Amino acid sequence: MYDTIRLEKGLYSITGKTFTQALAELDPDANYENTELKGLDAFERQLKRFDIKIKGANSDRVEKFFISTESAVLFPEYIRRTVKQGMDEASIMGKVAAAVSYTDGVDFRGLTVTKTGLTDVVAEGGNVPLTNVRLATSNKTLTKFARRLSCSFEAIRKQKLEAFGVVLKNLGAAISKDVNSLAMSEITKGLTAQTLIGTELTYADLAAFWASMGDYNMTTMVCTPDVMAKILAMDEMKYCIGDYMAGGTVQTPYGVTLVKCPQLSSGIAVGIDQSCGVEMVLGGDVIIDYDKLISNQCNEILCSVLAGFSVLTSGAVKTLKTSK
């Protein structure tokens, strides 16, 4: 049972497994199918074991993790999960990436997909159109994103975990914003931007940009906050604002989801077919320096992630100049 497992920091250093995966092997989720603990993962069951509440007005203080040597082992995973939550909330990749891959190396070679032939209809004895899948001509090096939080244990020990979690999520969000910036820079490299019909961005420009993707379906358009504000102010968008109130996203009348990205280069918008356009490659999960957090309680929190991006399908990513 979950309350008899011996927790030790060696669970963080098992090759190819996260802390929770290693813990789940000792305490499988399947054992709790018909119990009140169904729905909790192995880490969450350990929080329950030590009665550590990390959310809500009645959340515990940071020092609750250090009531014993075993409960202290849970602290780095709490940090990792909370930082990752902040990263996920700030990331635009959920609306951009067609695939998320992992690699054990520090570089990767993405795939490129190109098609020949205007139609798949083949006459008797005719040539069959071809789809070519090839490795990219050169390796791309994963970029390391990291941030360090200096906070002595004395400074945070009495802080509520709910409030401390806000700090950690902000740390994750700061990392994610730079990941967003790299993604947009990498996938638009070498593209020639479509120009405006007139001198100002209009709804007709958006429609023409959507149509320019041809056989692909523009599902997402990434733009800077000022450009997004211009789009939302267009008369044609007034019936779409209710979508944001209902689901937190805004779509154009022809179904393109607008995504705000302050880190995008000023002056362009990026149109993407999410089903086939972009691959995100990660060098593993978010990394936290667990040893120091357990041994020294908390003097410094260092978290990092490796990421890289490539365009999978030529023509599934396009750019638009938003001004002249």
Side-chain angles (χ1 to χ4, degrees):
M1 289 293 290
Y2 72 99
D3 54 356
T4 60
I5 291 172
R6 178 168 178 76
L7 298 177
E8 53 187 5
K9 64 182 181 181
L11 291 169
Y12 285 99
S13 57
I14 298 175
T15 303
K17 292 185 175 66
T18 65
F19 174 81
T20 298
Q21 287 171 337
L23 196 58
E25 289 192 354
L26 301 174
D27 181 34
D29 294 344
N31 292 346
Y32 303 90
E33 274 301 312
N34 298 311
T35 73
E36 62 178 9
L37 299 179
K38 180 180 179 180
L40 300 182
D41 65 21
F43 171 73
E44 292 166 333
R45 289 192 289 273
Q46 291 304 312
L47 292 180
K48 183 174 179 63
R49 171 187 177 182
F50 292 99
D51 192 29
I52 300 174
K53 297 180 285 294
I54 62 175
K55 296 179 181 178
N58 295 320
S59 64
D60 288 305
R61 302 181 190 277
V62 172
E63 63 185 359
K64 185 71 175 287
F65 274 102
F66 298 96
I67 57 174
S68 73
T69 55
E70 285 194 273
S71 61
V73 173
L74 300 173
F75 191 56
E77 177 64 2
Y78 159 74
I79 297 287
R80 189 200 67 79
R81 288 184 176 218
T82 311
V83 169
K84 191 172 187 304
Q85 182 183 349
M87 291 181 66
D88 291 343
E89 290 172 356
S91 176
I92 65 172
M93 299 316 296
K95 297 183 177 69
V96 169
V100 178
S101 307
Y102 291 84
T103 178
D104 293 330
V106 295
D107 56 15
F108 70 101
R109 288 180 70 184
L111 295 174
T112 59
V113 182
T114 56
K115 299 178 182 179
T116 62
L118 298 176
T119 176
D120 287 346
V121 177
V122 181
E124 183 176 351
N127 292 326
V128 177
L130 182 66
T131 296
N132 282 303
V133 179
R134 296 287 185 269
L135 283 172
T137 55
S138 60
N139 285 6
K140 285 189 174 183
T141 302
L142 295 176
T143 300
K144 182 177 180 178
F145 298 87
R147 183 160 286 270
R148 185 174 58 183
L149 179 66
S150 177
C151 52
S152 68
F153 184 64
E154 288 72 21
I156 66 168
R157 61 179 297 183
K158 296 296 183 182
Q159 297 299 315
K160 290 279 192 174
L161 287 166
E162 175 85 353
F164 187 52
V166 173
V167 175
L168 296 175
K169 284 187 283 187
N170 282 339
L171 186 150
I175 293 174
S176 226
K177 288 170 184 175
D178 279 340
V179 175
N180 293 342
S181 179
L182 176 69
M184 292 299 102
S185 174
E186 286 292 305
I187 69 174
T188 60
K189 194 175 294 182
L191 296 181
T192 300
Q194 183 171 315
T195 57
L196 299 183
I197 298 170
T199 58
E200 294 290 336
L201 181 66
T202 66
Y203 188 75
D205 290 305
L206 299 182
F209 185 42
W210 169 78
S212 72
M213 200 163 272
D215 288 341
Y216 299 105
N217 181 34
M218 188 182 294
T219 59
T220 306
M221 188 169 79
V222 183
C223 47
T224 55
D226 61 321
V227 170
M228 190 165 178
K230 288 180 182 179
I231 295 172
L232 295 179
M234 294 175 180
D235 286 342
E236 294 85 355
M237 292 293 297
K238 62 185 177 183
Y239 297 112
C240 302
I241 305 302
D243 295 340
Y244 181 80
M245 302 300 292
T249 59
V250 180
Q251 291 187 337
T252 65
Y254 36 87
V256 179
T257 299
L258 300 178
V259 176
K260 182 181 71 172
C261 181
Q263 297 76 37
L264 181 63
S265 297
S266 179
I268 68 165
V270 184
I272 301 163
D273 184 339
Q274 189 186 356
S275 70
C276 61
V278 177
E279 179 186 21
M280 180 182 188
V281 180
L282 296 172
D285 209 333
V286 178
I287 297 173
I288 301 293
D289 191 345
Y290 66 87
D291 192 48
K292 289 182 179 179
L293 288 174
I294 296 171
S295 303
N296 302 328
Q297 293 179 328
C298 184
N299 290 317
E300 185 176 85
I301 296 170
L302 177 63
C303 57
S304 63
V305 67
L306 292 169
F309 302 90
S310 67
V311 175
L312 286 170
T313 309
S314 176
V317 178
K318 288 185 175 289
T319 55
L320 169 71
K321 285 187 177 179
T322 55
S323 62
K324 278 193 175 178

